[in-house]
Each structure stands twice: as structure tokens, then as C-alpha cells.
Amino acid sequence: MYQYVSVTAADAATPSRVRDGTIKLHDESGFAGMRKAGRLSAEILDALVSFIQPGVTTAAIDELVCTMLLDGGAVPATLGYRGFTHSCCTSINHVICHGIPDDKPLKDGDIINVDVTSWLDGWHGDTSRMYVVGEAPIKARRLVEVTYECLMLGIEQAKPGNTIGDISNAIQKYAEKHRYSVVRDFCGHGLGQLFHDAPEVVHAGKAGTGPELRPGMFFTIEPMINIGKPQVKILGDGWTAVTKDRTLTAQFEHSIGITETGCEIFTLSPKGLHCPPWA
Ligand code: MF3
Ligand code: CO
Ligand code: CO
């Protein structure tokens, strides 16, 4: 039902750059590439912890992300991707994902997701975190915390023998236990030499369903969790996805690789700045 293909070397002749619906199984050279790409993106998210303050614009965040990616020898994978013209996505309050950086300053009490994807030596490091601007209400801070826990509970299920559905189910169960809803319109994805590849990693579903996890699979887990209903609306710019009921939403994302015994997180924060509060 699902087709798996082993890929061994990082050159254009391998099937690893073709989106053909197959699930790629990578070797140690792939892990090495993903480690570097993932680390650079994670370092950038670390740098944003002190940078993100009331009054800072998302355009300034975008500029910092772009500079740090280029300085690190990478290219922003989102720049020019299907017509997206920025180096990261900045999604504030009721914006679920794909928010476009602009000149509006951040306000005290905002929560914002910054999603960075490096493209380094042919490999993609895709990760996002939430940031709390100044002092946010407990309701917002709690959503951020639970969303982070959803991601990590999903990652706990990422090991050989389990399926994508085990990840989905762990996330959905925990979110709904807190009376939050899980966005269905966007999902995690395979990645590697491609930015978006098979399999689809849905964030709600039944345990034991979907593709079986095998060593060498690379994919993201990136749950979007809403305080209100799960429905999505896309704004007129064609990108910005907001909650239809305009309630708060949060998201965290890691890129991981399945190992013989579990998984490796390629985008772990080098400084341990996994989730606010940072202090
Ligand atoms: N980084 C996003 C993801 O997690 C994709 C952003 S595509 C863009 O898959 F074009 F909106 F930047
Ligand atoms: Co992603
Ligand atoms: Co992303």
C-alpha cells in the first residue's frame, strides 16, 4: 500500500529528489546532511528568543532569518517556494500558519510562531516555535505549552514498528483532553532533499493506521492546535491561514529521522530554548 525506496547518495541521479509518492529511506549520509540543516534552523530560532519583543516587526524577523541562513551557507527554502516571497512564516495569534512577514509591529501579549526552513547542501531543516511577546494572558501561555507537549508526545511515538497514526493519535488525544482542537487542513510531511514529500503526517487519527515507520524515514511533525474550532480560512493573499472562528492557535515543528531504536530530532534547540517561558 505504501512504497518505500532506499536512497544512498546525495546526487541528482538518485530518486531522493523526485516527488513520486514513495517514502524515502535514507542512509547515514542523509542523517549527516539533515543534522547540519536542522541545526542551522534551530540556531536561528534560538537567536529569535531575545530578538522578539514588543515593537519589533515581522519584516525585521524575516530579515534576521534571511541573513542568518545565508551566513550559515544555506538558502531560505521558502523564498520563491510556490510564489512565497519571504525567508520564514510569521503567524500571530489567530493565524494558524503561513503568515507573511510585514511592517506591523508586534504587540505586548501577542503569541507568534516563526517557521524557518533552511536548504543547506541539498538538505532541508524545517522547524518552528512559538514566542510570547512581553506578557501574554495565561490562556495563551497554556495553549503554547500544551501545543509543545503535543509535538513531543507525537515524537515519543516515532519509532520503528509504530505507524504515522500512532503519532497522530497521541497528539489528538492530548489536545482534546485539554478541550483544544487539532487543525486537519495542514499536516507534517516527509522531507530531505525535497522540502515537501511523502508521507503526509496528519496530526489527528487512529493508532495503528497509516504508513509504518521504518529506519531512515525523514519527516516533520508540526501540530497546529486551536482553542476553538478546527476550521481554517485562507485570507485574500492566498497564504495566511487563520482560524475561522478567530480563536487563538499555536504550532511547534521538528524535523526528525527514524533510527533503529527511535528517532533523532534534527532541529533540537542547541541552547535548550524549546518552549516559552524561557527563563
Ligand atoms: N515551513 C512550512 C512547513 O512547515 C512551509 C512553508 S511554505 C511557505 O511545511 F511557502 F509558506 F513558506
Ligand atoms: Co513543515
Ligand atoms: Co515549517
Side-chain angles (χ1 to χ4, degrees), residues 115 117 126-127 187-189 191 195-196 220 222 251 253 255:
D115 191 338
T117 308
D126 186 5
T127 183
C187 41
H189 48 91
L191 84 172
F195 188 0
H196 292 108
T220 72
E222 47 183 300
Q251 179 181 31
E253 174 176 25
S255 295

Side-chain angles (χ1 to χ4, degrees), residues 33 36-44 64-79 87 116-126:
K36 284 175 69 180
R39 183 178 173 98
L40 177 60
S41 297
E43 281 170 352
I44 294 170
L64 179 65
V65 169
C66 186
T67 302
M68 287 190 74
L69 282 170
L70 296 176
D71 286 351
V75 167
T78 58
L79 195 57
S87 301
V116 172
T117 308
S118 63
W119 186 40
L120 180 61
D121 298 338
W123 299 94
H124 291 87
D126 186 5

